[in-house]
Amino acid sequence: MTKEALALEAIDRLKKEYPDADCTLDYDQAWKLLVSVRLAAQCTDARVNVVVEKLYEKFPDVKALANALPEEIEEIVKPCGLGHSKARDISACMKILDEKYNGKVPEDFDALLKLPGVGRKSANLIMGDVFHKPAIVTDTHCIRLSNRIGLVDGIKDPKKVEMALWKIIPPEEGSDFCHRLVWHGRDVCTARTKPHCDKCCLEDICGKYGV
């Protein structure tokens, strides 16, 4: 089976297995997803969802966060870990949104990459979930499962995985496929325990490459 055929089959099966899979970070505005995805680095989405509630109670919009002292932000977000750097990035990012984009998140991949604390994974998440544009979000689940399934061969660098997947994943499927990989990676193809291959919908086509 070619990688292209494997990708299409995996997309189809995961779509049936997780028809409602979406982003597990809670947000109702684009700027909130920017904040949450920065806080999610080395932290669970569940914890981020709790912490941001307190953050938005005190700073309910872009301008409020832009005017907040980084120390004030850090005091609230420190349960997510790396509080100092995350607060610094959030403060700087909101200032740019407020001053340059009238409080809006730019609908441009390269513009997103220029925002403090925003890398390719975050920019792709925004493009896919907020603006419904083609996107490949190479988080740890995507990288691990892409290697195990055999969509990529021993590639661990996020950008290289992203570039490889762009070649075999239909653009309109990329964002949802990556969300489904997250759900599958948490429930079945786990990282910290032995994968539950006996209940995996991809078991008969999986290459079981990598770890």
Side-chain angles (χ1 to χ4, degrees), residues 11-185:
I11 288 168
D12 184 61
R13 294 189 187 190
L14 291 174
K15 190 179 294 186
K16 293 174 181 175
E17 193 77 7
Y18 309 98
D20 301 318
D22 55 10
C23 182
T24 51
L25 291 167
D26 294 338
Y27 70 97
D28 56 10
Q29 297 179 65
W31 68 270
K32 290 184 177 180
L33 182 54
L34 265 182
V35 170
S36 289
V37 74
R38 180 65 187 96
L39 293 176
Q42 299 181 39
C43 181
T44 65
D45 289 359
R47 176 171 291 183
V48 171
N49 289 337
V50 171
V51 169
V52 292
E53 288 186 11
K54 299 176 182 178
L55 185 67
Y56 302 148
E57 284 177 9
K58 188 168 184 179
F59 307 110
D61 52 37
V62 170
K63 187 171 287 295
L65 264 179
N67 291 332
L69 294 173
E71 293 79 9
E72 294 179 293
I73 299 173
E74 182 179 354
E75 181 64 27
I76 298 173
V77 305
K78 62 183 179 182
C80 294
L82 305 174
H84 183 72
S85 61
K86 290 179 180 180
R88 179 194 61 210
D89 286 342
I90 290 169
S91 174
C93 183
M94 294 301 112
K95 279 181 167 62
I96 292 174
L97 293 188
D98 183 45
E99 296 168 4
K100 187 174 181 179
Y101 296 106
N102 196 31
K104 305 295 184 182
V105 175
E107 192 174 340
D108 177 81
F109 188 80
D110 291 330
L112 288 169
L113 286 180
K114 293 178 182 178
L115 295 173
V118 177
R120 296 188 66 86
K121 181 181 75 172
S122 302
N124 270 298
L125 184 64
I126 295 291
M127 293 301 291
D129 278 43
V130 175
F131 300 121
H132 308 293
K133 301 287 182 67
I136 298 286
V137 182
T138 49
D139 67 354
T140 56
H141 294 289
C142 176
I143 294 170
R144 184 177 75 258
L145 269 65
S146 293
N147 277 278
R148 280 180 174 170
I149 295 167
L151 299 178
V152 301
D153 300 326
I155 305 174
K156 300 300 174 69
D157 178 81
K159 184 176 180 180
K160 290 180 180 179
V161 172
E162 179 192 337
M163 294 301 108
L165 292 180
W166 276 119
K167 297 177 181 177
I168 60 174
I169 303 293
E172 69 278 7
E173 297 286 356
S175 181
D176 287 341
F177 178 63
C178 290
H179 284 318
R180 292 185 175 108
L181 288 180
V182 171
W183 286 47
H184 194 62

